[in-house]
Amino acid sequence: MTNRTAKISTGSGDLTYPLLEGSVGPDVIDIRKLYGESGMFTYDPGFTSTASCQSAITYIDGDEGILLHRGYPIDQLAEQSSFMEVAYLLLHGDLPKKNELEEFNYIISRHTMLHEQLATFYRGFRRDAHPMAIMCGVVGALSAFYHDSTDITDPQQRLIASHRLIAKMPTIAAMAYKYSIGQPFLYPDNSLSYTGNFLRMTFGVPAEPYEVNPIVEKAMDRIFILHADHEQNASTSTVRLAGSSGANPFACIAAGIACLWGPAHGGANEAALNMLREIGDVKRIKEYVARAKDKNDPFRLMGFGHRVYKNYDPRAKVMQQTAEEVLKELKLSDPVLDVARELEQIALSDEYFIEKKLYPNVDFYSGIILNAIGFPTEMFTALFALARTVGWVAQWNEMISDPEQKIGRPRQLYVGATQRDYVPAGKR
Ligand code: ACO
């Protein structure tokens, strides 16, 4: 930290505030005393210029297209690491040593089962329930089953709750899928990897052995890594805000899942694949690009644009490469991949997209891979939630341990009626 300051000029004079310096990235004006000293708030809908917390987990430089987890570039992690290793890194701050990773894998594998009564809970949902509806409900309900890890003031309980959430999420997501297609739930098999186990619980059946395809397992694991955390995005901020009141971790993660569901956030991968299918043929791309540019048409190119990245989303690059690999290995050809490649080229050379700095985001190619692996589109956001749970719990733990943490309570610019007297119904 330095002694640099920033001046804010108001009608009644200048106010001086400390300028905080992170390890990298923009400086931050510490305006915590602004209201007390001036009686004024700042106005920032969508928090485009607001740092809501200090964090040492993830760093993004949107202009340069850089994403680092605890300092490590996402492409190195996606290429060389595993989801379990990244989970450890996000939670604990450093990459695990060999024995630490073995122990972490062991702990996570010992928390994969759900309380048996939770299976009954599933049966309360309609068969056609969206998996995200089930995920919100079941994850929230975990707080009713695991009372021994809901005391957030106890770091040990927080760690157990974090392990439980990371470990149970694949079981919960796979069960949501099985329920929707009317197949029996499969119990976890702890001899498999985190990702292999998830694939088996999703695509296996009790009637026969399931063989995990190592190519698919690797691709899925990479997709999980690419979705593991992303700084203070909408769902992570939701988890932090819910957690700031002292709510238990299961309830907080359920809140994050609800936020992630929206098409502007986690729901975009589902929307992107639906859009690519709707376009269907490279010949129709021009028509859709024109629609995306038309101010009178609400249509947007799904999987394009990002609040923070004003350059290529580094995750999209890895995702595109993975899509090519998976389709090749599975000997599949998908016309949707041709549409995606061509659409990307056309959009990236179009003045509208160049000027607004709209590039493909992580969701543009992920749907193609998930579809090739065999997931229905409704499952896409559930997979995102599964992976992002790691980031959510890491951010939640960081927040609870932060001595500067306060209950989140934004203020407002009030534009409603001023005080007026009540008039009885008959006299209005
Ligand atoms: N297609 C066409 N035009 C777009 C698109 C798009 N996908 N995205 C943004 N624009 C335009 C807007 O119309 C706006 O134009 P204007 O300045 O003339 O009004 C300008 O670009 C800026 O867009 P905003 O919506 O103001 O940017 P914001 O940062 O608020 O939104 C968002 C970012 C929500 C991701 C947006 O780009 C979008 O809706 N993209 C499609 C949905 C999507 O892919 N979401 C996934 C995000 S990644 C994730 O959550 C994992």
Side-chain angles (χ1 to χ4, degrees):
M1 298 291 162
T2 64
N3 291 326
R4 292 190 303 141
T5 54
K7 238 181 215 133
I8 298 180
S9 297
T10 69
S12 47
D14 287 352
L15 296 164
T16 305
Y17 293 104
L19 210 50
L20 308 181
E21 218 173 81
S23 42
V24 58
D27 293 339
V28 170
I29 308 171
D30 179 355
I31 54 154
R32 276 176 290 184
K33 294 198 176 131
L34 177 69
Y35 177 60
E37 291 177 356
S38 71
M40 281 189 278
F41 297 140
T42 54
Y43 183 60
D44 187 17
F47 310 117
T48 51
S49 298
T50 297
S52 61
C53 61
Q54 301 194 21
S55 181
I57 300 176
T58 292
Y59 172 72
I60 303 173
D61 181 334
D63 294 325
E64 296 297 323
I66 292 171
L67 168 60
L68 310 175
H69 290 321
R70 303 281 192 187
Y72 296 99
I74 189 65
D75 45 329
Q76 289 186 23
L77 294 172
E79 280 298 323
Q80 300 172 48
S81 186
S82 68
F83 182 61
M84 277 298 92
E85 200 173 48
V86 172
Y88 184 98
L89 173 70
L90 290 171
L91 265 183
H92 298 290
D94 284 305
L95 284 169
K97 294 189 177 68
K98 195 167 171 287
N99 62 323
E100 288 170 332
L101 182 59
E102 278 165 12
E103 194 193 341
F104 187 66
N105 270 320
Y106 178 82
I107 293 170
I108 296 298
S109 71
R110 289 312 179 271
H111 282 294
T112 49
M113 288 204 299
L114 292 189
H115 191 290
E116 196 59 19
Q117 224 175 317
L118 266 169
T120 328
F121 194 82
Y122 276 77
R123 300 189 204 289
F125 287 96
R126 278 171 53 138
R127 279 277 173 217
D128 59 357
H130 195 285
M132 286 297 275
I134 300 183
M135 300 275 284
C136 285
V138 173
V139 174
L142 291 177
S143 31
F145 287 85
Y146 301 101
H147 299 284
D148 58 342
S149 57
T150 52
D151 177 0
I152 61 151
T153 60
D154 177 352
Q156 190 53 27
Q157 289 201 31
R158 292 207 300 271
L159 192 61
I160 295 171
S162 305
H163 290 156
R164 281 183 168 151
L165 277 157
I166 294 169
K168 293 184 197 308
M169 211 51 101
T171 317
I172 293 170
M175 284 169 73
Y177 173 63
K178 285 297 192 201
Y179 186 71
S180 72
I181 58 168
Q183 285 189 2
F185 299 142
L186 251 65
Y187 288 116
D189 176 348
N190 292 343
S191 68
L192 299 173
S193 71
Y194 182 88
T195 304
N197 183 35
F198 171 63
L199 289 170
R200 182 187 153 275
M201 286 190 291
T202 306
F203 297 119
V205 287
E208 54 191 54
Y210 178 79
E211 217 167 285
V212 180
N213 177 330
I215 309 293
V216 172
E217 184 182 16
K218 177 115 196 12
M220 194 72 239
D221 202 71
R222 193 179 278 172
I223 290 179
F224 288 161
I225 294 175
L226 294 174
H227 286 94
D229 191 50
H230 211 229
E231 205 225 61
Q232 308 310 322
N233 56 83
S235 57
T236 302
S237 298
T238 300
V239 169
R240 280 187 178 254
L241 196 56
S244 76
S245 71
N248 76 70
F250 305 107
C252 296
I253 302 303
I257 295 173
C259 178
L260 187 74
W261 195 355
H265 191 8
N269 51 14
E270 188 175 339
L273 185 64
N274 288 338
M275 176 197 76
L276 291 170
R277 281 184 178 145
E278 189 186 312
I279 298 175
D281 193 313
V282 286
K283 288 196 204 102
R284 299 185 62 202
I285 290 174
K286 284 215 164 74
E287 173 198 329
Y288 279 84
V289 169
R291 282 188 60 194
K293 288 158 50 175
D294 182 355
K295 283 277 149 244
N296 300 318
D297 190 328
F299 175 77
R300 282 188 165 196
L301 278 192
M302 298 315 284
F304 255 80
H306 196 276
R307 168 59 62 78
V308 180
Y309 292 116
K310 303 302 168 198
N311 198 327
Y312 216 109
D313 179 341
R315 302 167 300 171
K317 281 191 188 140
V318 187
M319 209 58 103
Q320 179 190 14
Q321 188 193 328
T322 309
E324 308 274 359
E325 279 168 21
V326 167
L327 264 76
K328 192 169 160 225
E329 285 301 327
L330 296 179
K331 299 190 175 48
L332 293 172
S333 76
D334 188 343
V336 161
L337 184 59
D338 300 330
V339 174
R341 276 198 217 103
E342 188 67 19
L343 177 58
E344 179 185 336
Q345 289 316 314
I346 292 178
L348 290 184
S349 53
D350 188 294
E351 205 41 53
Y352 174 94
F353 291 88
I354 295 170
E355 191 209 313
K356 295 189 188 304
K357 299 188 173 156
L358 299 169
Y359 291 85
N361 61 47
V362 67
D363 293 319
F364 192 62
Y365 285 101
S366 63
I368 297 174
I369 310 173
L370 297 175
N371 178 58
I373 293 176
F375 290 100
T377 45
E378 307 78 66
M379 275 300 285
F380 291 2
T381 320
L383 302 174
F384 191 159
L386 185 171
R388 184 54 58 85
T389 296
V390 165
W392 289 331
V393 296
Q395 301 265 355
W396 172 80
N397 273 295
E398 185 183 62
M399 179 198 66
I400 303 287
S401 338
D402 182 350
E404 298 204 342
Q405 188 266 326
K406 280 178 185 299
I407 183 167
R409 177 59 170 91
R411 301 303 301 268
Q412 61 175 7
L413 173 66
Y414 179 67
V415 294
T418 51
Q419 186 169 332
R420 47 184 168 166
D421 289 326
Y422 179 82
V423 179
K427 296 193 175 162
R428 279 172 216 159

